[in-house]
Amino acid sequence: MNQRTGHLVPEEETVTLARVTGETGGDLVLRRVGAHYEIYSNGVFLMDTRDGTSEREMVRASLNALPQGRSHARVLIGGLGVGFSTREALDHSRVARVDVVELEPQVIAWHEEELGEAADFVHHDPRCRVYNEDIVAWLAKAAAKSEPARYDVICLDTDNGPDWTVVENNNRLYEAAGLERLTRLLAPEGVLSFWSANAVESFEKLLREHFEVVEVVEVTVARGVPDTVYLASKPLAERSA
């Protein structure tokens, strides 16, 4: 019921479009609710296509934090999801290439179908490459190269936050060793960013121990506490080297 008018509001039709076993062994579900799509893992809500404001802000703020005049930026995004982060990067005038690492092959496959409409089929853009791999393993392999590829912006939209990972192994991304590995893939004066569903003081403290510049951006959401985006640049290890 609409609380202002007192009129009954029809419930949005909910349709389960796909139900598969995910890479972690859990139940991965794609639903359409009215005009929007939702993804669940083992009954836990992961993401939907209703808004995406904070995911877009993470990418936009990261690119805007690059040195003035830098163009042809290379962007790495951890997590394809519904594609909002990737779409924001591809639509930015500074970006020349976007690499995306997504664990779930079915999420990638859903972008060939109805889910792809939400972000205008990002994977069809010739500047975009999607890797179906575990982000922790992919980063380890990339950083281990003698001359690793460097990214101007690295955005991790992989979990619900440092204290609420979708996959247990992902906690490595938010530890000191994980930050050092990410730094190895960061171009000079590049920007590293993390999306979180809530503020995590211990993670902010860790970032400040490893980076000269750390910015915390709060993004208001319709319900609950604000989403939080962490931006980090100028690794302290490089300044002491």
Side-chain angles (χ1 to χ4, degrees):
M1 176 177 292
N2 186 306
Q3 294 181 347
R4 290 194 303 167
T5 65
H7 295 157
L8 290 175
V9 178
E11 289 188 7
E12 293 182 303
E13 181 185 16
T14 299
V15 179
T16 297
L17 300 175
R19 183 184 300 273
V20 299
T21 300
E23 288 298 294
T24 60
D27 200 31
L28 192 66
V29 176
L30 174 67
R31 303 195 317 177
R32 185 178 65 237
V33 182
H36 297 284
Y37 298 94
E38 301 175 338
I39 298 178
Y40 288 79
S41 177
N42 284 334
V44 177
F45 172 81
L46 291 182
M47 64 199 77
D48 64 21
T49 60
R50 288 180 176 82
D51 190 0
T53 299
S54 56
E55 292 90 336
R56 294 178 187 275
E57 177 60 24
M58 174 183 65
V59 176
R60 187 165 50 249
S62 299
L63 287 163
N64 289 343
L66 288 175
Q68 191 171 18
R70 181 173 295 189
S71 59
H72 304 290
R74 291 166 53 94
V75 178
L76 172 64
I77 296 178
L80 175 60
V82 298
F84 287 155
S85 301
T86 303
R87 171 48 58 199
E88 187 67 28
L90 289 169
D91 286 348
H92 201 286
S93 60
R94 284 185 161 192
V95 173
R97 173 172 167 175
V98 181
D99 289 348
V100 185
V101 183
E102 169 58 50
L103 172 65
E104 295 290 352
Q106 196 59 49
V107 169
I108 298 173
W110 289 338
H111 274 265
E112 286 287 355
E113 301 169 352
E114 292 172 295
L115 183 59
E117 298 173 1
D120 196 21
F121 298 94
V122 291
H123 59 301
H124 290 170
D125 191 305
R127 298 169 297 157
C128 181
R129 298 183 184 182
V130 179
Y131 299 91
N132 178 203
E133 294 191 47
D134 175 90
I135 184 64
V136 174
W138 190 93
L139 289 170
K141 182 170 57 177
K145 295 179 179 178
S146 57
E147 294 186 8
R150 297 293 190 99
Y151 294 90
D152 299 282
V153 166
I154 299 176
C155 297
L156 290 185
D157 188 12
T158 307
D159 300 289
N160 288 323
D163 60 350
W164 187 4
T165 58
V166 175
V167 181
E168 184 177 353
N169 193 44
N170 281 3
N171 58 16
R172 298 184 184 184
L173 297 172
Y174 311 100
E175 298 173 349
L179 295 180
E180 292 169 5
R181 183 171 292 153
L182 287 163
T183 298
R184 182 165 169 74
L185 299 178
L186 202 61
E189 298 188 85
V191 179
L192 175 62
S193 61
F194 300 83
W195 186 92
S196 180
N198 55 274
V200 183
E201 291 184 5
S202 59
F203 182 63
E204 180 183 344
K205 181 175 181 292
L206 182 65
L207 287 176
R208 295 191 184 282
E209 292 171 354
H210 286 79
F211 295 88
E212 180 180 340
V213 178
V214 175
E215 182 181 358
V216 182
V217 180
E218 289 191 347
V219 183
T220 302
V221 296
R223 297 179 181 177
V225 300
D227 290 341
T228 303
V229 173
Y230 294 97
L231 305 176
S233 57
K234 298 185 179 181
L236 293 173
E238 289 186 1
R239 291 180 64 84
S240 62

